[in-house]
Amino acid sequence: MSPRKPSRSALIAALTAALLAGPAVAQAATPQTASQAVPQAAPTPARERAAAATITWSLVRASNPTEDQRTAYDAITRAMNAAVARYNNLSDLGKTITVRYEPGVPTADGNINGTIRFGSNRSYMTERTALHEIAHTIGVGTSSGWSRLGGSGTWTGGQATALVKQYDGSGAKISTGGGHFWPYGLNFENEMSNTAADRHVHLVAAMVRDGL
């Protein structure tokens, strides 16, 4: 016996139901199908890295500066900007520094508390002086580590010693005295050059790694 053919109205009803149901099924299936076809890789963890420290500085200014103060502020700002940029470009050292213009200071000085003072002598308002005084704020000549590692007259820390030998040969050493070091301590203006200034920063950073 032949199966009974569905009526015309039944066919129309079935077709309509399929058309209405089709889009909803497709939308529901799309995300699942895509995820099955292209598996999502697990995100790669970011490499852990210690953030580099930064040296920052500010200048204490008079509210109504004299002409002498204004010109001193300009010279000090140029010197400090250049020195801080060099330290930040070549090292990961960090320090917050407060700079003051105090005409009674004979030259310039730096303290481990983060203070640098410039006197009225414009010949000391240079990048060389600023680099040198920043080193004092970091610990050169001012920290307990300095006394421990440099108190004998020769720096005994391994990293800075290895670095100066790399610069000047196997017989080179870092001499210390009076809170200063040489070579590359930038103790006098005639020591200043781009190479010497870069090496100064690298050596101070190595001294910090040694335990300055």
Side-chain angles (χ1 to χ4, degrees), residues 149-165:
L149 295 166
S152 67
T154 301
W155 184 261
T156 59
Q159 294 206 36
T161 299
L163 190 56
V164 79
K165 289 180 184 296

Side-chain angles (χ1 to χ4, degrees), residues 137-159:
T137 71
I138 291 170
V140 169
T142 58
S143 70
S144 59
W146 172 265
S147 299
R148 177 170 51 85
L149 295 166
S152 67
T154 301
W155 184 261
T156 59
Q159 294 206 36

Side-chain angles (χ1 to χ4, degrees), residues 23-153:
V25 172
Q27 289 171 2
T30 297
Q32 181 180 1
T33 302
S35 63
Q36 290 170 348
V38 185
Q40 298 296 310
T44 303
R47 179 181 297 176
E48 293 184 7
R49 176 183 171 188
T54 303
I55 293 175
T56 60
W57 75 281
S58 59
L59 176 62
V60 177
R61 297 173 181 265
S63 57
N64 187 25
T66 64
E67 180 62 22
D68 174 71
Q69 288 172 324
R70 282 195 295 271
T71 60
Y73 294 162
D74 289 345
I76 291 168
T77 296
R78 287 191 296 270
M80 287 298 300
N81 279 344
V84 168
R86 194 182 296 266
Y87 264 102
N88 286 339
N89 286 337
L90 299 178
S91 79
D92 61 357
L93 298 173
K95 193 76 179 184
T96 300
I97 297 171
T98 301
V99 180
R100 299 178 182 275
Y101 172 49
E102 296 188 6
V105 174
T107 56
D109 57 38
N111 192 293
I112 199 168
N113 67 10
T115 299
I116 292 176
R117 303 185 303 166
F118 286 87
S120 61
N121 190 331
R122 284 352 186 223
S123 68
Y124 289 95
M125 296 178 185
T126 63
E127 182 186 359
R128 193 278 309 172
T129 302
L131 288 166
H132 178 94
E133 301 307 338
I134 289 170
H136 285 315
T137 71
I138 291 170
V140 169
T142 58
S143 70
S144 59
W146 172 265
S147 299
R148 177 170 51 85
L149 295 166
S152 67

